[in-house]
Amino acid sequence: PYPFLEEMQTQQSYSGSDIAKQLRTINYAMALRCVGHYDQAYTLLRGINIDKNAGMLPSAKVTYYNNLMDLCELMGKYQEAVIWYEKTAQIFNDMRPGKQKEQLRRAIEVNRATYHFCNGEYELALRCLGQDKPKNLSERIENAMMYGHTYLAMGETERAKKPLQFVAENGNKLYCATEARELLAKINMEENEQ
């Protein structure tokens, strides 16, 4: 994620339209999220008025609200995450059918699991995760991390270990790999104390 972060930091100084600047800020916030700078990413996203520019494409709005929902979940702001997911889904549902909508469909469907997680509906979250068919390593890592969080929230630490181990071993320099290792260490410490 660090080359991505560097590139997005560089692009913050570029000139351009308000829309172009907002899109670069959204990407910069995503890069910050990937390295665990959640507060900074959240502040950047909350500073954007995505509805200000009439020319902002619905697909960009879906991405914006989706990323905001994701950060809120990671930061434990579950009620806010629910609001942003509902906004994301509303804009997505109002989009005209086509290539852009289809490219966003998986994100909406996958984040339905996050929506249920944030509502404390863990079984529904697991059902959504089970329907997901990750197409690449990045998607498998995100899926596994959500499984781990959900099992932990349910108090099922034994079931949380396998997906967290997968994230820890395959997440490379993504912050979620660090988080997974920390969660596994905490689980092991608690087991040793019993």
Side-chain angles (χ1 to χ4, degrees):
Y2 290 97
F4 177 47
L5 177 61
E6 267 183 50
E7 180 60 28
M8 291 302 101
Q9 285 172 325
T10 300
Q11 288 189 19
Q12 290 305 292
S13 65
Y14 291 4
S15 61
S17 68
D18 282 347
I19 290 175
K21 289 177 183 176
Q22 285 183 338
L23 294 173
R24 286 194 301 265
T25 301
I26 291 167
N27 287 335
Y28 181 39
M30 185 61 171
L32 289 166
R33 175 240 190 250
C34 290
V35 297
H37 295 243
Y38 300 152
D39 289 331
Q40 191 178 355
Y42 176 79
T43 300
L44 280 174
L45 288 181
R46 291 293 287 159
I48 294 173
N49 182 350
I50 199 74
D51 297 312
K52 180 175 99 173
N53 295 301
M56 186 64 74
L57 293 174
S59 59
K61 291 181 181 185
V62 167
T63 300
Y64 169 79
Y65 286 116
N66 183 69
N67 291 358
L68 195 52
M69 179 274 311
D70 174 63
L71 277 167
C72 287
E73 184 271 324
L74 292 169
M75 297 172 73
K77 297 174 183 270
Y78 298 147
Q79 289 180 328
E80 189 176 344
V82 166
I83 291 167
W84 299 133
Y85 176 80
E86 290 172 352
K87 181 82 170 169
T88 303
Q90 175 191 358
I91 296 168
F92 175 80
N93 289 332
D94 290 344
M95 286 177 70
R96 281 181 270 172
K99 186 177 180 180
Q100 285 185 336
K101 187 169 186 172
E102 288 312 306
Q103 288 174 334
L104 295 168
R105 184 172 304 283
R106 182 182 180 277
I108 301 302
E109 292 171 355
V110 168
N111 285 327
R112 191 171 297 121
T114 302
Y115 173 77
H116 290 304
F117 174 86
C118 290
N119 276 321
E121 301 164 339
Y122 304 128
E123 292 296 335
L124 288 173
L126 291 173
R127 195 172 311 142
C128 289
L129 289 169
Q131 293 170 352
D132 183 32
K133 303 291 182 244
K135 293 176 182 66
N136 56 48
L137 181 59
S138 177
E139 291 177 2
R140 289 196 309 270
I141 289 168
E142 287 185 25
N143 181 286
M145 194 67 186
M146 193 66 205
Y147 265 114
H149 280 153
T150 305
Y151 287 136
L152 288 175
M154 296 171 77
E156 296 187 28
T157 54
E158 198 58 40
R159 290 179 77 187
K161 287 180 186 179
K162 184 177 178 181
L164 291 174
Q165 191 66 43
F166 177 82
V167 174
E169 291 172 0
N170 296 285
N172 297 321
K173 294 182 181 181
L174 291 171
Y175 181 73
C176 62
T178 301
E179 182 186 2
R181 285 189 286 275
E182 289 171 357
L183 289 170
L184 287 166
K186 182 180 176 189
I187 290 168
N188 290 333
M189 187 176 74
E190 288 172 357
E191 287 176 348
N192 290 335
E193 289 175 356
Q194 292 178 353

